[in-house]
């Protein structure tokens, strides 16, 4: 009985049809992506301007400290106040940079959510139409997820182009002598 069950599982595994897709190639060509990148660039510029203002203030305080260092007229208490103010600004800049990076990341995820939902729907539809049981990506975060796929097998199908078609995205063929874009 166990051998029959094992045989059935092996037979089912052999009939599994796998689809592969390059979601990064697709997402970066979606119209929504360009819009999101524009909004993220604006937010990044705002965060950068705020951090630059703090950096300019810190530089000015540091210059004051250098000028005050040799002055016999400035008290140690006044120097310590300036040093404390400089440390506070440096801490604020570090925290602001960390918060800014988190904000940019969270905002990009939030803004891309509708596009990713649309992509997921297109993947589901293309997989269903092609009779695909499992869809994988060869790479995620620059690390390989799929080590090998026999693309000559009828059980492995590249769904990237059908999904691009469903989303209405046309990728121009590269001009002769140029490398294809990813």
């Amino acid at each position: 009985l166990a051998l029959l069950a094992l045989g059935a599982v092996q037979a089912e595994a052999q009939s599994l049809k796998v689809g592969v897709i390059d979601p990064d190639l697709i997402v970066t060509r979606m119209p929504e992506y360009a819009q999101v990148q524009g909004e993220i660039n604006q937010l990044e510029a705002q965060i950068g301007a705020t951090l630059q203002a703090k950096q300019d203030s810190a530089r000015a305080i540091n210059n004051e400290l250098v000028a005050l260092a040799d002055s016999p007229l400035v008290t140690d208490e006044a120097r310590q106040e300036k040093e404390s103010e400089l440390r506070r600004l440096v801490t604020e800049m570090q925290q602001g940079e960390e918060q800014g990076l988190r904000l940019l990341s969270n905002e990009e995820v939030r803004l891309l959510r509708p596009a990713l939902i649309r992509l997921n729907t297109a993947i589901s539809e293309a997989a269903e139409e092609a009779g695909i049981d499992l869809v994988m990506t060869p790479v995620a975060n620059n690390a390989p997820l799929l080590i090998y796929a026999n693309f000559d097998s009828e059980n492995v199908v590249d769904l990237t182009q059908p999904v691009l078609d469903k989303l209405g995205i046309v990728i121009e063929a590269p001009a002769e002598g140029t490398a294809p874009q990813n």
Side-chain angles (χ1 to χ4, degrees):
L1 187 61
L3 288 175
L4 286 175
L6 180 61
V9 169
Q10 286 177 338
E12 186 176 322
Q14 288 176 352
S15 67
L16 183 70
K17 197 166 183 184
V18 177
V20 293
I21 191 165
D22 185 346
D24 292 338
L25 180 135
I26 296 169
V27 169
T28 57
R29 285 167 173 79
M30 293 177 78
E32 299 96 323
Y33 182 78
Q35 180 181 349
V36 166
Q37 288 309 302
E39 291 181 40
I40 292 299
N41 289 342
Q42 287 177 348
L43 183 57
E44 189 175 27
Q46 291 171 353
I47 292 169
T50 301
L51 290 174
Q52 185 63 50
K54 288 184 189 256
Q55 186 176 20
D56 292 345
S57 295
R59 190 174 292 121
I61 291 170
N62 189 53
N63 290 342
E64 287 178 38
L65 279 169
V66 169
L68 296 176
D70 297 329
S71 174
L73 302 175
V74 178
T75 65
D76 282 340
E77 186 177 293
R79 271 192 207 99
Q80 288 174 352
E81 261 185 55
K82 285 288 180 192
E83 288 171 355
S84 176
E85 189 176 350
L86 180 59
R87 280 192 297 276
R88 180 187 55 77
L89 272 174
V90 168
T91 300
E92 284 179 14
M93 285 179 358
Q94 290 170 340
Q95 290 173 345
E97 187 175 0
E98 291 168 7
Q99 289 171 348
L101 289 172
R102 268 194 310 276
L103 177 64
L104 287 171
S105 177
N106 291 340
E107 195 63 10
E108 185 176 38
V109 167
R110 184 186 72 76
L111 291 170
L112 276 177
R113 187 171 293 128
L116 296 176
I117 289 169
R118 196 164 76 92
L119 172 61
N120 190 51
T121 300
I123 291 170
S124 298
E125 290 173 359
E128 190 174 311
E129 289 170 9
I132 303 293
D133 299 306
L134 174 68
V135 177
M136 299 180 69
T137 180
V139 177
N141 295 324
N142 296 320
L145 286 180
L146 180 64
I147 304 301
Y148 172 77
N150 179 3
F151 284 96
D152 292 331
S153 165
E154 62 189 42
N155 290 333
V156 178
V157 177
D158 185 350
L159 288 175
T160 303
Q161 190 58 53
V163 170
L164 285 166
D165 294 342
K166 284 200 165 297
L167 294 170
I169 299 170
V170 177
I171 297 179
E172 301 286 328
E176 275 191 44
T178 61
Q181 294 178 340
N182 283 338

